[in-house]
Structure formats: C-alpha cells, structure tokens
Amino acid sequence: MASRAPAATGRLLLGFRKWYYNAAGFNKIGLMRDDTIHEDSDVKEALRRLPERVYNDRMFRLKRAIDLSMKHTILPKEQWTKYEEVQQTWA
C-alpha cells in the first residue's frame, strides 16, 4: 500500500498543476508561463541568449496577447496554449 502513495500524490499534483495552469488565464491569450515573467536584468540576458526562432515565437505570442487584450477577447479554445505543449518545451 505504501508504494502506491507516491504515484497517487504525483497524479494529484499533476491534476492541480493543470487546473492552475488553466485557471491562470494566460493560456487563453496564447501565452506560455515563461512569457509572463517580469523582465529584470537576468531575464533580459537570458532572452538575449535565446535562439532567434524561439525569441521570434515569444515576441509573436506577446504581440498577439497585447492585441487580444486591447480587443477584450480571447483565442478560440482550440488555439489555447495547452499544458502538455509547454511541458515539452521545458524538457
């Protein structure tokens, strides 16, 4: 019985993470979690070191989010950033 507890706890935490990711709302305007980080000097240096393609994708997401925010709208549900997609980029 004790060997099952860590697996159950892991599933519970994963469920909570997915719930919180969706509840935060930034995925509804196409942003990833890392796009919402406050840009201090360390973050600016990290952004400078990103590959050009990753940086351009991030800038597109930010510009689209600003546009959607100005229009007071969200993306269609099939275009929301999914938790699983973000997990793949962190690996």
Side-chain angles (χ1 to χ4, degrees):
M1 195 60 105
S3 65
R4 298 179 99 161
T9 303
R11 284 193 305 271
L12 181 64
L13 286 175
L14 179 62
F16 179 74
R17 285 182 191 140
K18 286 183 178 182
W19 172 83
Y20 184 78
Y21 183 83
N22 288 319
F26 55 81
N27 65 323
K28 296 175 184 174
I29 55 175
L31 291 176
M32 293 185 176
R33 184 190 63 137
D34 292 341
D35 296 336
T36 63
I37 295 175
H38 177 70
E39 291 187 20
D40 60 7
S41 59
D42 293 334
V43 174
K44 287 180 182 179
E45 177 62 22
L47 290 172
R48 188 185 67 76
R49 295 179 182 195
L50 284 175
E52 185 177 358
R53 174 72 180 166
V54 175
Y55 181 79
N56 289 339
D57 288 347
R58 180 179 188 273
M59 294 311 297
F60 171 77
R61 289 190 305 269
L62 290 172
K63 288 179 182 181
R64 180 177 58 183
I66 291 169
D67 183 54
L68 289 169
S69 178
M70 295 289 289
K71 293 177 181 177
H72 299 283
T73 188
I74 60 173
L75 292 170
K77 190 161 186 156
E78 61 271 3
Q79 293 181 10
W80 291 3
T81 309
K82 294 170 185 54
Y83 180 81
E84 292 79 15
E85 293 173 359
V86 175
Q87 288 300 103
Q88 291 174 356
T89 62
W90 294 338

